[in-house]
């Protein structure tokens, strides 16, 4: 027996498919949305569509941005010879919040995970190697300290080593399995300063 209308069930299903939203939260959100004024719901729907249609990859570092080149890559005051490799745009934002990192980034959009069937070809790795043809003095690997992050770090290290470019790994002061974005700025900076050569 359907307790709710078909439309509400559909909405709950869609919301429950989002990361971090369980069945209960999905229900709560669905009813909240239904009770919201029409114009607010329209604005929310439009905001989602606009973001989806207008956000793209930076042509240099592949972070998500509104422009051809993201603000970090467009900033000539940044050290464009130092590239920090992160798993996603949220990790980039976490390092940017510290305000202490002066280099640029490379966003992989994932990590290698044999268990989930994610291989080197599924993340922005080719794009990183291509960037190394330019003037690069150091690549800092700042993937998470999860199994996937470590696997990815090792893989990239092996790939870059023969090129003679300095390649470093951030210190493992970062809690195991902890997403970079949840780690406080002091810990992030300590991990960055304590990086070791691979
Ligand atoms: Zn960029």
């Amino acid at each position: 027996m359907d307790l709710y209308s078909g439309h509400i069930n559909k909405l709950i299903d869609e919301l429950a498919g989002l990361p971090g939203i369980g069945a209960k939260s999905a229900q709560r959100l669905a009813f909240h949305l239904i009770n919201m004024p029409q114009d607010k719901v329209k604005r929310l729907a439009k905001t989602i569509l606009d973001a989806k249609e207008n956000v793209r990859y930076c042509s240099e570092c592949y972070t998500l941005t509104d422009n051809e080149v993201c603000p970090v890559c467009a900033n000539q005051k940044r050290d464009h010879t130092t590239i920090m490799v992160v798993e996603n745009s949220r990790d980039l934002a976490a390092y940017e919040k510290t305000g202490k990192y002066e280099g640029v980034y490379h966003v992989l959009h994932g990590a290698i995970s044999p268990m989930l069937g994610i291989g080197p070809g599924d993340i922005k790795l080719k794009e990183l190697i291509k960037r190394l043809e330019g003037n690069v003095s150091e690549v800092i690997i700042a993937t998470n300290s999860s199994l996937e992050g470590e696997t990815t770090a090792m893989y990239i290290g092996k790939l870059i080593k023969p090129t003679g470019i300095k390649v470093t790994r951030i210190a493992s002061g970062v809690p195991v399995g902890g997403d970079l974005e949840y780690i406080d700025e002091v810990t992030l900076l300590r991990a960055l300063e304590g990086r070791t050569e691979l």
Side-chain angles (χ1 to χ4, degrees):
M1 187 185 72
D2 260 353
L3 289 173
Y4 309 134
S5 89
H7 286 293
I8 292 184
N9 282 335
K10 210 171 155 198
L11 183 56
I12 293 172
D13 279 351
E14 291 290 340
L15 292 168
L18 298 172
I21 311 255
K24 278 225 172 97
S25 301
Q27 275 189 24
R28 203 165 47 234
L29 282 171
F31 283 107
H32 181 81
L33 287 167
I34 295 299
N35 288 319
M36 262 163 66
Q38 187 88 358
D39 60 321
K40 269 194 154 180
V41 176
K42 273 196 179 141
R43 201 169 61 210
L44 175 62
K46 188 178 172 328
T47 305
I48 294 172
L49 272 177
D50 282 351
K52 184 62 196 163
E53 280 163 13
N54 294 302
V55 173
R56 53 175 133 174
Y57 292 134
C58 166
S59 61
E60 289 182 28
C61 74
Y62 293 87
T63 194
L64 296 171
T65 180
D66 288 348
N67 304 309
E68 169 76 15
V69 176
C70 78
V72 174
C73 290
N75 185 348
Q76 287 313 311
K77 289 198 187 106
R78 304 287 293 234
D79 170 12
H80 285 250
T81 71
T82 302
I83 299 177
M84 187 195 290
V85 180
V86 291
E87 290 184 22
N88 55 53
S89 294
R90 286 166 299 158
D91 292 344
L92 179 156
Y95 271 103
E96 274 308 280
K97 249 187 256 157
T98 70
K100 296 274 163 58
Y101 175 66
E102 284 167 356
V104 291
Y105 299 89
H106 186 86
V107 182
L108 294 171
H109 292 283
I112 298 170
S113 171
M115 246 169 53
L116 295 173
I118 301 168
D122 299 315
I123 57 177
K124 303 270 178 220
L125 209 52
K126 279 194 313 288
E127 291 81 353
L128 172 64
I129 302 306
K130 181 99 187 103
R131 286 180 79 185
L132 302 183
E133 290 167 11
N135 180 19
V136 177
S137 59
E138 180 180 353
V139 175
I140 303 167
I141 306 176
T143 50
N144 288 333
S145 54
S146 60
L147 179 62
E148 292 79 14
E150 292 297 349
T151 306
T152 309
M154 249 165 33
Y155 188 90
I156 297 175
K158 273 194 200 139
L159 218 56
I160 298 181
K161 202 91 188 150
T163 65
I165 295 169
K166 184 179 176 188
V167 54
T168 55
R169 174 82 173 117
I170 56 163
S172 53
V174 177
V176 174
D179 272 0
L180 278 182
E181 57 176 319
Y182 295 124
I183 291 155
D184 67 89
E185 292 170 23
V186 177
T187 311
L188 271 187
L189 283 177
R190 217 179 282 145
L192 179 59
E193 277 157 15
R195 68 189 186 270
T196 48
E197 206 158 332
L198 284 182

